[in-house]
Amino acid sequence: MVKQIYEQINKDLKEVDPEIYDLIIKEIIRQSEGINLIASENYAFKAVLQAMGTPLSNKYAEGYPKRRYYSGCEYVDIIEEIAIKRLNELFKAEYSNVQPHSGAQANMAVYFSVLKPGDTILTMSLNCGGHLTHGSPVNFSGIIYNVVHYEVSRTNELIDYDLIRDLAIRYKPKLIVAGASSYPRIIDSKIIADIAKEIEAFFMFDMAHYSGLIAAGLYPSPVNYADFITSTTHKTLRGPRGGVIIAKKDYEKIINKWVFPGIQGGPLMHVIAAKAVAFKLALEQEFKDYQKQVLINAKILAQTLKDNGIRIVSDGTDSHMVLCDLRSIGLTGKEAENILNEVGIFVNKNVIPFDPQVPAIASGIRLGTPAITTRGFKEDETKEVANLIAIALKEPHKKEYVKSKVKELSEAFPVYKIYL
Ligand SMILES: *Cc1c(COP(=O)(O)O)cnc(C)c1O
């Protein structure tokens, strides 16, 4: 079915390049089979995919609306202006830049706007949930800047704001970064903003994971607290793969300058059009209802796993993601990822706070509900998935049973329906 639909739509591609075409079909089928619980992934809106596959990709538009380095930008100017206007409306922001090619580029542009090489930044450590671009030694951020990390509390695994304050006073960072890839709880932007003010540091909030929930009003917004807010558009927002920056109007000049020409060349106008489409859809009530269900499903996932004896990091979740500590059932993250992959449940291994394992092994797995919720899973299905995860991990002899149940569930909620 999936194959037939796509063959019809993309007949020409099939003729021009059957090899790549065939691999695209295989990937579409792979995405349709099994159950995707990778917290950073989602199924983009159909209209978003349509906007991306257009001749807007042909257009060079270096610069900003009405101030381009190329002629012929009259239509892409309007598209970019609409994208900015909608993004501002969605997050009640004063200013935004929709050109960053990805979340990493958005962060880089902010860093370059306020930091010089060697400056100190205070960010959450990777094993407590921080992102590579928050000062990892293998990332430009860890190479260029002097990085100090804060961590979560060892007792409740929640962000230790007193520690942030102590480190801020001791090290006087020029920038404090919050936001994370594997921190399932609410982050209090006001407390961090107050700390930043106290030491006259800038405050950047990277909402890459939480932006869909924030847009729906279901997770506290950092707007009005953080000087800079960065995000991806392809995670909870269901937009195209890309990034954005939101800031106070005062920072418009410097951010624009550092996105282009600072770190990027021509903007991807087909992606910016797709971002505009995603923002329009995110402003609708249906999107808010979707995000509500994402949260409900995450809570059920956490509770059901907990009921099955799997320890949940921080004992629960306030977001779309759930972090499991598999030491509670004698497995590593890597082992669990492989076992679940074999039965058709896709998750990623993840370090947990103070993880004794290296990241390539890890003690945890990170689960997220954005993709299954887009697919139509509600409470009952999510509970079933959680129970299947527990069976797969704890009772290896029941692998075939779990596999067949996963297949049944997948077939009852076909992914391609999103794209019909
Ligand atoms: C995903 C993510 C990013 C990076 O996004 P890319 O588009 O992959 O570059 C940055 N920060 C956080 C917190 C993320 O989770």
Side-chain angles (χ1 to χ4, degrees):
M1 181 72 175
V2 189
K3 190 165 164 171
Q4 282 143 3
I5 294 166
Y6 280 87
E7 283 194 344
Q8 194 53 40
I9 297 171
N10 295 301
K11 251 191 244 145
D12 296 342
L13 175 59
K14 189 178 180 184
E15 275 157 32
V16 173
D17 192 339
E19 193 182 3
I20 290 297
Y21 182 78
D22 184 50
L23 289 164
I24 292 172
I25 291 289
K26 284 195 167 120
E27 172 60 15
I28 290 167
I29 292 172
R30 191 196 65 78
Q31 289 186 15
S32 319
E33 290 172 347
I35 294 170
N36 187 5
L37 290 171
I38 295 177
S40 50
E41 292 188 3
N42 207 334
Y43 305 104
F45 290 109
K46 176 176 158 187
V48 161
L49 297 187
Q50 287 169 335
M52 273 196 287
T54 60
L56 288 178
S57 170
N58 300 340
K59 190 69 200 99
Y60 245 113
E62 282 177 352
Y64 290 94
K66 302 197 179 79
R67 288 175 288 125
R68 305 284 191 187
Y69 291 85
Y70 286 81
S71 61
C73 290
E74 54 269 36
Y75 301 115
V76 295
D77 273 5
I78 301 172
I79 288 172
E80 186 166 341
E81 281 167 350
I82 291 174
I84 291 168
K85 189 170 155 279
R86 287 180 185 163
L87 181 60
N88 286 346
E89 190 183 341
L90 191 58
F91 291 99
K92 300 176 183 61
E94 294 176 5
Y95 152 79
S96 53
N97 186 309
V98 294
Q99 291 193 6
H101 300 331
S102 72
Q105 256 66 56
N107 288 350
M108 184 185 243
V110 171
Y111 293 168
F112 281 18
S113 296
V114 296
L115 301 170
K116 290 194 174 52
D119 278 351
T120 300
I121 59 175
L122 175 59
T123 72
M124 180 130 87
S125 73
L126 198 68
N127 74 25
C128 290
H131 188 257
L132 287 167
T133 54
H134 300 179
S136 159
V138 297
N139 181 264
F140 82 92
S141 55
I143 295 166
I144 301 184
Y145 308 114
N146 176 40
V147 183
V148 179
H149 283 313
Y150 56 89
E151 293 177 327
V152 297
S153 142
R154 277 181 190 266
T155 47
N156 59 16
E157 295 166 314
L158 300 178
I159 288 179
D160 184 345
Y161 297 97
D162 292 335
L163 176 64
I164 299 182
R165 189 163 182 275
D166 290 349
L167 293 171
I169 289 166
R170 174 144 38 120
Y171 293 101
K172 293 265 178 294
K174 194 140 175 221
L175 174 73
I176 302 179
V177 177
S181 304
S182 58
Y183 183 73
R185 294 304 195 159
I186 280 169
I187 298 172
D188 194 325
S189 295
K190 183 175 186 312
I191 299 180
I192 302 174
D194 287 344
I195 296 168
K197 231 175 251 146
E198 201 179 325
I199 59 155
E200 288 176 24
F202 291 104
F203 172 28
M204 179 185 106
F205 191 101
D206 178 349
M207 64 172 182
H209 261 268
Y210 315 109
S211 49
L213 296 167
I214 293 171
L218 299 170
Y219 187 100
S221 173
V223 177
N224 297 331
Y225 295 120
D227 298 297
F228 308 98
I229 296 160
T230 55
S231 184
T232 55
T233 49
H234 49 275
K235 294 176 181 171
T236 43
L237 272 176
R238 291 192 64 196
R241 189 156 283 280
V244 295
I245 299 170
I246 291 169
K248 293 173 185 161
K249 189 89 181 156
D250 298 348
Y251 300 120
E252 173 169 10
K253 261 207 171 117
I254 184 99
I255 291 287
N256 281 356
K257 179 171 96 90
W258 275 107
V259 172
F260 172 84
I263 64 162
Q264 290 190 172
L268 314 176
M269 291 315 307
H270 57 307
V271 176
I272 289 175
K275 286 173 182 170
V277 172
F279 302 151
K280 177 182 163 73
L281 294 171
L283 281 159
E284 290 179 6
Q285 184 57 41
E286 203 180 327
F287 186 77
K288 295 187 175 71
D289 296 340
Y290 159 71
Q291 296 293 350
K292 259 183 217 154
Q293 192 65 48
V294 166
L295 272 187
I296 292 170
N297 287 352
K299 287 207 191 325
I300 290 206
L301 189 64
Q303 187 58 48
T304 311
L305 291 166
K306 198 171 140 188
D307 292 344
N308 277 285
I310 295 171
R311 194 181 84 82
I312 305 301
V313 172
S314 83
D315 201 35
T317 179
D318 303 319
S319 68
H320 60 294
M321 63 172 125
V322 176
L323 198 59
C324 304
D325 176 358
L326 297 164
R327 292 175 302 181
S328 53
I329 53 167
L331 290 174
T332 66
K334 188 175 180 210
E335 286 165 343
E337 180 186 286
N338 288 338
I339 293 167
L340 292 173
N341 197 50
E342 277 173 36
V343 297
I345 297 176
F346 310 127
V347 309
N348 64 284
K349 63 174 178 283
N350 214 101
V351 284
I352 58 172
F354 315 107
D355 202 323
Q357 300 282 3
V358 295
I361 308 283
S363 296
I365 48 172
R366 185 186 63 167
L367 313 175
T369 53
I372 57 167
T373 308
T374 299
R375 193 171 178 172
F377 282 24
K378 297 237 161 38
E379 289 89 325
D380 289 350
E381 294 80 23
T382 306
K383 195 165 181 180
E384 186 177 347
V385 174
N387 282 321
L388 290 171
I389 290 173
I391 297 171
L393 296 180
K394 288 162 61 183
E395 302 175 79
H397 60 283
K398 292 195 181 155
K399 186 165 141 188
E400 289 310 313
Y401 163 79
V402 176
K403 225 173 168 170
S404 70
K405 283 288 173 192
V406 167
K407 190 152 183 277
E408 245 173 57
L409 201 51
S410 308
E411 282 167 1
F413 290 83
V415 169
Y416 61 77
K417 273 209 169 150
I418 301 165
Y419 298 120
L420 280 178

